[in-house]
Amino acid sequence: MFQEYIEIRGARENNLKDVSLRIPKRKITIFTGVSGSGKSSIVFDTLAAEARRQLNDTFSTFVRTFLPRYAQPDADAIDNLSMAIVVDQKRMGGGPHSTVGTITDIYTVLRLLYSRIGQPHVGNYNVYSFNDPQGRCPDCNGLGRKIGVDLDAYLDTSKSLNEGAILFPDYAVNSWGWSNEIAQSGFFDMDKKLSDFTPQEMKLLLHSEPQKVKVQFGGKMVNLTFEGIIDKFTRKYIAPSKFTPSERTMKSVEPFMTYGPCTLCGGTRLSQAALSSKINGLNIAELSAMEVDELIEVIKSIQAPEVAPILSTLTERLQYLIDIGLEYLSLNRETDSLSGGESQRIKMVKHLGSSLVDVMYVFDEPSIGLHPRDVHRLNDLLLKLRDKGNTVIVVEHDRDVIKIADHIVDVGPMAGSAGGTIVYEGSFADLLQADTLTGRFMKHSMPLKNSFRPAKGKLAITNAHANNLQNVSVEIPTGVLTVVTGVAGSGKSSLIHQVFLRQHPDAVVIDQSSVGTSTRSNPATYTGIMDDIRKAFASANKVSPSLFSFNSAGACENCQGLGFIYTDLAFLDEVKTPCEVCEGKRFRDDVLAYKLNGKSITDVLAMSVEQALGYFTTKDILPKLQALSAVGLNYLTLGQPLSTLSGGECQRIKLATELHKKGSVYVMDEPTTGLHMSDIGHLLEVINRLVDTGNTVIVIEHNLDIIKNADWIIDLGPEGGNKGGKVVFEGTPRQLLDAPHSLTSTALRNAVNQPW
């Protein structure tokens, strides 16, 4: 069969050096190479950007005003493109109105099912939508949450009423409210601990309807109204009908408030009519709350020939979620609570149900967040997309994903200015013989650690219940490297982010969240190097340091230091053009005349970290540059906008700013994200240096090379969702090899017994 190709000629985006490529259509092509080598510049900034730009150009001028704008890539020619669908790692927003069910359209099909066979019949499928006036709960407007009372802050159930179980000051022991409303009501055993109250007694205390009681006041008996203390709080401070409390009063009661489930709909977001309609005794909210692997069995058990096509569609789409390793999610899970990896896999599921063919699917490290056990599921989905007649292009570092490629493009040889060329094209088998970093490290496997640091102490987590954690108690050793492992959804993030960090708020958290969205922020400003650079220039030229800031006195007056001009053409696309005055240099001409060791301020900002290390000798600047180099960011230029960094690069630049601390607790969330195999060793050197200087490092990670080098492993599972949330193993990596119920143990044994 004749093979067609996408052709790129003379691509020069970012660090690309006149790259020319032929990418086979309707095949899986995987781009490899070190971070910063130019993979994303080819795949996203050249291929995907041009495909999207040309597609948008087919729409009318009016429609284009509502579409994203893509600049024409710097390339001589790009031919034979297909429509591009980019499936990236950007987290989904949406809030409570956007859920796994709505984003995948599975909930839409479920609503259709209930509108057909739900009993009693309550209307069309809009009646089951929490985003529609017909179906949403009137109390919370379909949000499922309302401002409520934080019972943990309001009550201490280990105490009796006489001991001060009510923590709200209005009911402090011997206060007016405590004496006259609680003690004299006669409703309660004042010496009984609240934890021993019956459900009826607790309901009376918290939610009693207003009722008259006789109490002694001022030497005589008077009638007072007793009302449940939570209901009274709500009436006075959360939903006041007459008088709004003062700002000072509200500030004093805020610690006792929380954004909790709506009491009318129970957090389901739906109207009472929708909740009354059931299939086999279950309403639509109860099905949405089930984990996908349980829900699919319930759907399969429904015997209703008249809706067989609907049931078939539901089963097929739920199976897609299971196939990609998301069986632990529920349809009512809000999309903004999903990780980047989960978001990407949800997007994949959406496209699997599409009947479009000859599409160019572009994936950005889809293995991120996946346990080694689940990588084969991802591979199966990539193969399915290809076999439907699509071109699949993947940027990836994971060995197990790379080996399914029909064609591999290795970019390098190094990063930044030392990259931007194609160092290998061909099959996986030939890559193993290629003399490139990727080729060499595909066969490289780190040995299992033999000696382990002894713990200096311990940080205890007791009876943790966050999300799916099942009463977890565990001790994290101090002064060592602890790796927390487990399949996706097993409870790793819940244990560390939601429990441990609340108990240890002083811990240094180094995650993948953005470090800046402004084009005015860059590695030099973020790390504080820029202040030292300005001082060095000012001292050498005997002028003010503010001259060397493009946010201050030295900025080009035409573009205000941006380096480019935005031109608004009303109903046409906004055009971004280099500033004609400074030619994109961001500074005034007279500022650029000042030099430091023969370089202008613009020359310095254009330097990579590696180049800057050879240029500067200042004792204040060198340690910060060395820290950036130590975390594998040699290729970043000092002036690169932080908004262009990947999640892994954001994490490493944060790590670079924290390396000087001692005696701290560091928490890292998948620090290998975006790292080439050859860089894992460098990351381990940085982590080990942190531990050796007296710090405690806790890493949430799937990468087996990191797991092999831990001092202590805490493995959660055994599966995800409600089948997880337990500690299945604690010990050293060597002991993990023999753990009977651990999926991580199986993956580790395979890696040790079958090294590359």
Side-chain angles (χ1 to χ4, degrees):
M1 186 177 177
F2 176 70
Q3 177 65 59
E4 292 181 87
Y5 293 89
I6 298 169
E7 296 197 18
I8 303 174
R9 293 192 296 278
R12 292 175 293 275
E13 278 295 311
N14 301 324
N15 68 331
L16 298 181
K17 297 170 180 173
D18 278 311
V19 167
S20 295
L21 263 180
R22 296 177 81 221
I23 300 169
K25 298 194 77 171
R26 302 173 197 93
K27 302 287 185 184
I28 297 176
T29 297
I30 294 184
F31 281 76
T32 61
V34 297
S35 302
S37 61
K39 305 184 299 298
S40 295
S41 296
I42 298 173
V43 174
F44 296 102
D45 300 337
T46 304
L47 271 180
E50 179 63 3
R52 288 170 147 184
R53 187 186 71 82
Q54 291 191 23
L55 178 64
N56 287 1
D57 282 349
T58 65
F59 296 105
S60 68
T61 302
F62 174 74
V63 171
R64 290 206 306 271
T65 62
F66 300 100
L67 298 175
R69 300 175 178 92
Y70 301 99
Q72 185 168 355
D74 186 2
D76 293 338
I78 305 172
D79 296 327
N80 211 15
L81 279 174
S82 302
M83 181 185 79
I85 294 177
V86 176
V87 187
D88 57 24
Q89 300 166 27
K90 289 180 181 174
R91 293 173 186 256
M92 297 178 179
H97 286 295
S98 179
T99 65
V100 169
T102 60
I103 203 72
T104 58
D105 294 329
I106 296 174
Y107 189 71
T108 304
V109 184
L110 198 59
R111 288 193 287 126
L112 186 60
L113 178 69
Y114 269 83
S115 71
R116 298 287 178 82
I117 63 171
Q119 293 297 326
H121 178 74
V122 294
N124 67 24
Y125 79 113
N126 283 350
V127 172
Y128 300 93
S129 171
F130 44 79
N131 291 326
D132 190 283
Q134 296 180 62
R136 65 188 178 213
C137 170
D139 265 25
C140 63
N141 290 319
L143 291 174
R145 298 195 294 258
K146 291 177 70 176
I147 294 176
V149 181
D150 184 349
L151 284 180
D152 289 337
Y154 204 93
L155 301 174
D156 182 349
T157 56
S158 68
K159 294 180 179 178
S160 68
L161 293 168
N162 273 338
E163 292 171 329
I166 305 175
L167 304 176
F168 186 55
D170 284 10
Y171 297 103
V173 175
N174 294 323
S175 67
W176 192 95
W178 180 87
S179 300
N180 297 292
E181 294 183 32
I182 306 294
Q184 290 198 61
S185 70
F187 293 146
F188 309 105
D189 180 345
M190 300 295 289
D191 292 315
K192 185 177 182 179
K193 296 186 187 302
L194 293 195
S195 57
D196 296 329
F197 270 35
T198 65
Q200 293 77 16
E201 287 173 326
M202 191 59 80
K203 183 178 180 181
L204 180 65
L205 175 66
L206 304 182
H207 302 294
S208 168
E209 295 283 337
Q211 54 184 299
K212 296 293 182 183
V213 293
K214 286 190 177 293
V215 302
Q216 190 172 31
F217 184 72
K220 54 184 177 181
M221 300 301 290
V222 297
N223 286 327
L224 287 181
T225 300
F226 173 78
E227 181 180 5
I229 58 175
I230 298 301
D231 288 3
K232 184 175 181 180
F233 182 95
T234 302
R235 178 174 54 78
K236 286 181 67 176
Y237 304 114
I238 295 175
S241 58
K242 293 182 180 179
F243 304 107
T244 303
S246 69
E247 186 176 338
R248 182 177 178 182
T249 299
M250 288 307 297
K251 194 168 184 179
S252 68
V253 300
E254 269 179 12
F256 300 93
M257 293 182 177
T258 186
Y259 203 45
C262 170
T263 53
L264 177 61
C265 68
T268 64
R269 311 175 175 93
L270 290 166
S271 67
Q272 295 304 296
L275 294 173
S276 71
S277 180
K278 298 186 178 182
I279 298 174
N280 291 352
L282 296 168
N283 64 35
I284 193 170
E286 290 169 320
L287 292 195
S288 297
M290 290 180 180
E291 293 182 4
V292 167
D293 57 351
E294 295 175 1
L295 176 58
I296 195 170
E297 297 304 320
V298 173
I299 297 299
K300 287 177 179 177
S301 71
I302 297 173
Q303 302 297 317
E306 67 272 27
V307 290
I310 298 175
L311 293 171
S312 175
T313 301
L314 274 173
T315 303
E316 181 184 39
R317 294 189 182 183
L318 291 169
Q319 190 61 48
Y320 285 151
L321 285 170
I322 293 170
D323 288 344
I324 204 166
L326 297 176
E327 70 278 358
Y328 59 89
L329 295 181
S330 57
L331 296 187
N332 66 1
R333 173 82 174 263
E334 293 175 14
T335 52
D336 57 6
S337 70
L338 299 173
S339 69
E342 287 169 336
S343 297
Q344 188 172 34
R345 294 196 290 283
I346 286 284
K347 295 172 194 172
M348 289 181 72
V349 168
K350 199 173 180 183
H351 296 303
L352 275 172
S354 170
S355 56
L356 290 171
V357 295
D358 212 3
V359 170
M360 181 173 71
Y361 284 97
V362 181
F363 294 96
D364 186 9
E365 293 192 58
S367 68
I368 284 174
L370 271 183
H371 190 272
R373 189 278 303 261
D374 294 322
V375 171
H376 75 278
R377 294 175 168 183
L378 167 67
N379 289 346
D380 289 344
L381 290 182
L382 294 175
L383 291 166
K384 280 181 185 175
L385 284 173
R386 178 201 65 184
D387 294 344
K388 283 176 69 175
N390 299 301
T391 302
V392 179
I393 297 176
V394 187
V395 174
E396 188 55 80
H397 291 298
D398 189 283
R399 293 181 176 96
D400 290 324
V401 179
I402 294 171
K403 71 182 180 184
I404 70 159
D406 299 307
H407 187 68
I408 294 170
V409 178
D410 197 19
V411 188
M414 301 301 290
S417 59
T421 61
I422 306 303
V423 293
Y424 170 82
E425 287 183 82
S427 67
F428 175 77
D430 289 341
L431 175 66
L432 295 178
Q433 308 307 317
D435 187 24
T436 70
L437 265 179
T438 305
R440 293 196 296 273
F441 274 85
M442 284 295 293
K443 298 171 290 192
H444 178 268
S445 180
M446 286 193 178
L448 199 64
K449 195 171 183 177
N450 279 315
S451 59
F452 309 100
R453 301 177 182 94
K456 296 178 180 176
K458 60 187 179 185
L459 301 168
I461 298 174
T462 308
N463 302 330
H465 291 94
N467 297 328
N468 67 329
L469 295 178
Q470 300 184 31
N471 199 33
V472 168
S473 295
V474 68
E475 293 177 347
I476 297 176
T478 58
V480 304
L481 168 58
T482 296
V483 177
V484 182
T485 63
V487 296
S490 60
K492 305 182 299 296
S493 294
S494 298
L495 182 71
I496 301 302
H497 287 288
Q498 297 193 35
V499 180
F500 177 79
L501 288 176
R502 285 183 181 176
Q503 297 176 5
H504 303 278
D506 295 334
V508 179
V509 181
I510 302 171
D511 58 18
Q512 296 172 30
S513 60
S514 174
V515 289
T517 56
S518 168
T519 56
R520 293 184 179 274
S521 187
N522 54 47
T525 58
Y526 185 80
T527 57
I529 293 172
M530 194 67 197
D531 293 334
D532 299 317
I533 291 174
R534 284 197 293 264
K535 289 175 186 174
F537 267 92
S539 175
N541 293 280
K542 305 293 187 291
V543 292
S544 168
S546 64
L547 281 178
F548 304 99
S549 169
F550 50 69
N551 296 323
S552 187
C556 166
E557 294 171 356
N558 188 54
C559 64
Q560 275 71 54
L562 280 175
F564 45 81
I565 301 291
Y566 282 115
T567 306
D568 189 355
L569 299 178
F571 54 86
L572 293 175
D573 288 358
E574 187 177 55
V575 176
K576 174 184 169 183
T577 54
C579 174
E580 294 179 356
V581 176
C582 69
E583 298 177 336
K585 294 177 181 176
R586 309 178 82 163
F587 291 90
R588 301 192 328 241
D589 281 345
D590 60 312
V591 174
L592 296 179
Y594 295 117
K595 302 289 170 106
L596 178 67
N597 299 332
K599 302 282 187 183
S600 71
I601 185 68
T602 297
D603 295 333
V604 169
L605 289 176
M607 288 180 179
S608 67
V609 170
E610 188 171 24
Q611 291 168 333
L613 276 169
Y615 170 77
F616 285 106
T617 55
T618 313
K619 60 179 176 57
D620 293 330
I621 296 177
L622 279 176
K624 296 171 184 176
L625 289 171
Q626 287 161 350
L628 286 170
S629 176
V631 297
L633 295 177
N634 258 326
Y635 58 92
L636 285 188
T637 61
L638 299 184
Q640 180 174 335
L642 292 184
S643 55
T644 65
L645 300 188
S646 68
E649 287 169 334
C650 288
Q651 188 169 33
R652 293 197 292 283
I653 202 169
K654 290 177 190 174
L655 178 56
T657 63
E658 302 286 355
L659 286 179
H660 62 283
K661 295 186 177 178
K662 294 182 180 180
S664 299
V665 176
Y666 285 81
V667 173
M668 301 183 195
D669 194 350
E670 295 192 50
T672 61
T673 297
L675 272 186
H676 188 263
M677 294 165 275
S678 62
D679 289 324
I680 302 295
H682 299 311
L683 175 65
L684 276 168
E685 287 175 9
V686 173
I687 291 174
N688 283 324
R689 197 181 312 143
L690 280 174
V691 178
D692 291 338
T693 53
N695 298 293
T696 298
V697 179
I698 303 164
V699 179
I700 301 170
E701 190 55 81
H702 292 299
N703 184 280
L704 291 171
D705 284 337
I706 300 292
I707 292 170
K708 288 177 186 176
N709 281 275
D711 296 306
W712 194 252
I713 303 281
I714 297 173
D715 193 36
L716 293 176
E719 293 283 350
N722 60 22
K723 299 180 185 66
K726 299 176 183 175
V727 175
V728 294
F729 172 80
E730 293 179 79
T732 67
R734 287 218 167 270
Q735 293 167 337
L736 178 60
L737 288 173
D738 300 318
H741 305 297
S742 167
L743 292 168
T744 308
S745 173
T746 304
L748 188 62
R749 278 198 303 275
N750 291 339
V752 170
N753 294 333
Q754 296 178 337
W756 287 79

